[in-house]
Amino acid sequence: MTQKNTAPTAAGVSSRGLKRRLRLGERVIEGWILLAGLLAIVVLLGIIFILLKEGLPIFTHTPPWEFLFGTKWYPVSDPPTFGIAPFFVSTLMITLISTAIAVPIGVACAAYLAEVAPAKVRETVKPIIEILAGIPSVMMGFIGLALLSPFVQSLFNLPTGLCGLTAAIMLSMMSLPIIVSVSEDAMQAVPHEFKEASYALGATKWETIWHVCIPAALSGIAAAIMLGVGRAIGETMTVLMVAGGALAVPASPTDPMTTMTAAIASGIGNAVRGGPQYQALFAVGLILFILTLAVNIIAERVLERQKRKFAR
Amino acid sequence: MEINLNVPDISTRPVKKCATKLKVENVNLYYGSFQALRNITLDIPSCSITAIIGPSGCGKSSMLRLFNRMNDLIPGARAEGNIELDGIPIYNSKIDVAELRKRVGMVFQKPNPFPMSVFENVAFGPKRHGVKNRSELAEIVEKSLHQAALWDEVKDKLGQSGLALSGGQQQRLCIARVLAVEPEVILMDEPCSALDPVATLKIEDLMRSLATDYTIIIVTHNMQQAARVSDTAAFMMMEPDRAGVLVEYGPTAQLFTNPKDKRTEDYITGRFG
């Protein structure tokens, strides 16, 4: 079939010409792929460059030490002070709490879907969970405002339900789908022989999940957790809507907070381009960038170690 | 018809207190609507090796997996009839399946050590059954590896991954892992089919030495192997539209030299299968 199709064209073109044309096509495609690859790197370098260019000058106004650990963020007073400790602490607190909620639930849900649930349940539930990941964060903010915050307020007897805890719970719900989906894939990929061997040794279902499936799927689960943490750190709209927006360093999770992302989003519209507040917000972005980079590098290291431990 | 098989003289093997370890009565096994075993009845004696032979797809593995209820893991699998271990019906709903599997261990066709160290592989079973003490575990691990004739080869690399061992070593590690939970019956599902002849011989020697204390049931494609190691043998086959028929069951020497059924004779002389 293929021979029949190519034969007439091949006969019409001299073998030399055909060869050259193929090589040219090859070059074009190679160049195209190279360009696409370079583009990703260029964009990343561009982001770093802009963050540095716009953000670093603030350190001539406020020394880095004061900027990081200062507790007062008064960008419009005279003279303005830029201390991002409230945002930094808020981001850490909300991220930690949301991870602490999302990881056990997510991994347990994944283990249920991968190991316990009948095929029919899995095939219905998993797509539904994946749809959850696509809900716009503004809508999650609505849900947090309307449903969760009154509940949190009455549960802890707070002056307002808009606080770090509400934001953390909403974020945990937002990072759940990705944690469940990716770790369920990882557990599904654990070779059947391992599970069979475990059952044949008299291990129960729970023991098999805990001692065989989860350890063998650990690198995938860790990747899932990192994706979830990444979502929690970077999420802006929901926390802007439900975290409360206070500018003080939070003392407890039930305090109103402003995360680094929310601070940037709410402040950048009012900042004079090139002014100190503008620079300070870019510096916040820079620190956020370093934070996510650090999370990624640590995750990479942990995975590397796990891989060596379970190496074939 | 002269049958030329290397059948060892089984009459020299000591016939020990051969009580019935496993009793199978009128067992049918279904996978959904497919019937994998048909009306199987046989008694498996203790402290001996029973081989199950037959062509591919005849239900040998399904039969083996009846004894530790591994078929339970397959959705839609359903067993009918009575199977007793030491007189206790194992398909009773009150039976603790984990406890049953502790008493009836299994070695699989493909060596399947866990992606853990050699030590942790062997310690896996005892740990699940409540042994916590580190020195006690170390003792069990050493003893099991000795029993599986693997200790001398791995004693310096207990911390290494079990998957770093050779195929034959991995299979003996899997046997050590089973021995560590001190089962009474060991099921072996074509344990040598992925191994070279030298490793196969080692496993066979090991099986013979274990047969004094354990009841071993082995599924094998290799008829020489069945003849070499087993005391009793069962021949199963499938008919065009019927799988899982037990054709003949008896002492290995008789089955191989003087089969009662024409189909057994045809199979072991290589006329089909």
Side-chain angles (χ1 to χ4, degrees):
Chain A
M1 199 58 196
T2 43
Q3 260 189 338
K4 253 186 205 168
N5 286 343
T6 54
T9 38
V13 183
S14 77
S15 64
R16 235 190 217 172
L18 184 68
K19 227 181 189 175
R20 202 183 293 151
R21 191 176 297 170
L22 272 179
R23 235 186 241 162
L24 193 69
E26 197 81 350
R27 285 243 180 97
V28 169
I29 291 172
E30 267 176 28
W32 177 261
I33 295 172
L34 180 71
L35 221 75
L38 282 177
L39 190 68
I41 298 174
V42 167
V43 168
L44 180 70
L45 289 178
I47 291 173
I48 296 174
F49 174 74
I50 293 203
L51 284 175
L52 289 174
K53 178 176 164 281
E54 304 286 346
L56 281 185
I58 191 63
F59 296 128
T60 57
H61 177 280
T62 312
W65 191 257
E66 257 175 57
F67 184 76
L68 273 177
F69 296 98
T71 57
K72 292 190 171 64
W73 177 264
Y74 297 138
V76 286
S77 57
D78 197 24
T81 52
F82 301 103
I84 66 159
F87 311 144
F88 195 77
V89 174
S90 301
T91 290
L92 282 185
M93 217 182 239
I94 290 180
T95 304
L96 282 178
I97 294 170
S98 80
T99 309
I101 297 170
V103 168
I105 297 176
V107 174
C109 183
Y112 169 76
L113 288 178
E115 296 303 320
V116 185
K120 262 190 187 160
V121 174
R122 178 171 63 240
E123 279 153 25
T124 341
V125 171
K126 214 183 166 203
I128 294 176
I129 290 177
E130 277 160 6
I131 289 171
L132 264 181
I135 294 180
S137 51
V138 172
M139 277 166 64
M140 294 306 275
F142 276 145
I143 296 169
L145 271 174
L147 290 178
L148 187 63
S149 71
F151 176 72
V152 170
Q153 184 179 9
S154 63
L155 187 69
F156 293 96
N157 203 14
L158 300 172
T160 169
L162 298 179
C163 64
L165 184 64
T166 312
I169 294 171
M170 287 320 290
L171 284 188
S172 70
M173 284 197 223
M174 294 170 76
S175 47
L176 256 184
I178 196 142
I179 294 180
V180 172
S181 180
V182 176
S183 35
E184 201 262 349
D185 286 342
M187 278 190 238
Q188 279 284 316
V190 172
H192 194 64
E193 292 97 62
F194 294 163
K195 299 170 202 168
E196 261 194 335
S198 171
Y199 287 124
L201 286 167
T204 60
K205 190 159 246 172
W206 159 245
E207 288 170 334
T208 303
I209 290 171
W210 186 249
H211 294 285
V212 176
C213 296
I214 291 183
L218 206 59
S219 63
I221 293 172
I225 292 171
M226 282 308 132
L227 285 170
V229 170
R231 171 117 211 223
I233 292 182
E235 179 49 48
T236 308
M237 187 46 78
T238 311
V239 287
L240 190 60
M241 289 169 80
V242 302
L247 292 179
V249 178
S252 107
T254 51
D255 287 348
M257 306 182 185
T258 305
T259 61
M260 292 160 76
T261 51
I264 296 172
S266 63
I268 200 75
N270 310 325
V272 181
R273 201 183 164 88
Q277 189 188 359
Y278 183 84
Q279 293 170 347
L281 290 174
F282 266 88
V284 172
L286 185 66
I287 286 160
L288 196 61
F289 182 80
I290 293 169
L291 200 65
T292 41
L293 202 67
V295 168
N296 274 318
I297 290 171
I298 292 168
E300 204 73 29
R301 286 278 160 84
V302 171
L303 282 187
E304 208 49 47
R305 255 216 329 253
Q306 279 302 331
K307 263 183 205 152
R308 245 178 282 139
K309 203 166 142 195
F310 284 99
R312 287 193 172 249
Chain B
M1 167 65 56
E2 183 80 16
I3 297 167
N4 266 324
L5 272 176
N6 177 21
V7 180
D9 186 7
I10 293 169
S11 57
T12 60
R13 283 184 199 157
V15 182
K16 275 195 0 175
K17 43 174 171 89
C18 267
T20 298
K21 188 76 187 170
L22 280 154
K23 193 177 185 66
V24 182
E25 279 175 319
N26 308 321
V27 166
N28 290 299
L29 177 75
Y30 302 87
Y31 295 129
S33 59
F34 174 76
Q35 185 166 9
L37 292 176
R38 272 161 219 278
N39 204 22
I40 306 280
T41 300
L42 76 164
D43 289 350
I44 289 170
S46 69
C47 302
S48 66
I49 300 181
T50 303
I52 305 173
I53 57 171
S56 296
C58 70
K60 307 183 296 286
S61 293
S62 295
M63 170 121 109
L64 197 69
R65 287 161 156 263
L66 277 180
F67 300 127
N68 63 346
R69 291 185 59 169
M70 281 303 267
N71 287 326
D72 289 13
L73 299 178
I74 300 166
R78 177 167 54 90
E80 282 171 3
N82 185 32
I83 303 174
E84 289 174 6
L85 173 66
D86 287 336
I88 301 159
I90 60 172
Y91 276 79
N92 190 313
S93 57
K94 282 176 196 146
I95 285 286
D96 177 358
V97 180
E99 186 62 30
L100 170 73
R101 291 187 185 136
K102 181 177 179 290
R103 288 175 63 186
V104 183
M106 189 166 201
V107 177
F108 295 86
Q109 181 172 1
K110 204 179 127 209
N112 57 351
F114 294 123
M116 311 168 184
S117 69
V118 171
F119 184 95
E120 289 300 328
N121 261 285
V122 183
F124 184 88
K127 272 187 179 172
R128 298 295 83 77
H129 297 106
V131 182
K132 293 252 160 58
N133 186 313
R134 194 77 192 164
S135 64
E136 203 179 327
L137 277 175
E139 220 169 85
I140 294 173
V141 168
E142 180 173 348
K143 184 174 149 233
S144 308
L145 286 169
H146 267 302
Q147 267 183 299
L150 189 60
W151 176 253
D152 292 333
E153 288 159 64
V154 300
K155 64 183 172 197
D156 300 323
K157 36 185 174 180
L158 291 178
Q160 268 185 29
S161 167
L163 293 160
L165 301 178
S166 74
Q169 288 174 328
Q170 285 189 14
Q171 195 60 302
R172 275 178 288 152
L173 177 63
C174 292
I175 293 174
R177 185 171 69 180
V178 169
L179 294 173
V181 296
E182 300 182 327
E184 297 155 34
V185 181
I186 302 174
L187 310 172
M188 295 187 167
D189 191 354
E190 298 184 42
C192 303
S193 67
L195 305 183
D196 65 68
V198 178
T200 300
L201 265 179
K202 278 191 177 164
I203 305 263
E204 286 178 7
D205 286 345
L206 174 59
M207 286 169 66
R208 280 305 339 159
S209 70
L210 292 175
T212 50
D213 299 315
Y214 298 88
T215 305
I216 297 176
I217 308 174
I218 175 177
V219 160
T220 176
H221 262 121
N222 180 336
M223 277 181 291
Q224 267 85 357
Q225 181 173 57
R228 277 195 301 266
V229 299
S230 70
D231 303 298
T232 347
F235 171 58
M236 291 178 69
M237 63 176 273
M238 51 182 174
E239 282 152 13
D241 55 337
R242 289 151 50 87
V245 180
L246 177 65
V247 175
E248 189 167 349
Y249 178 57
T252 303
Q254 183 216 311
L255 197 105
F256 275 90
T257 54
N258 190 18
K260 283 183 194 146
D261 198 294
K262 179 78 171 63
R263 291 172 293 178
T264 314
E265 189 183 314
D266 285 352
Y267 183 72
I268 54 183
T269 53
R271 231 172 267 161
F272 80 92

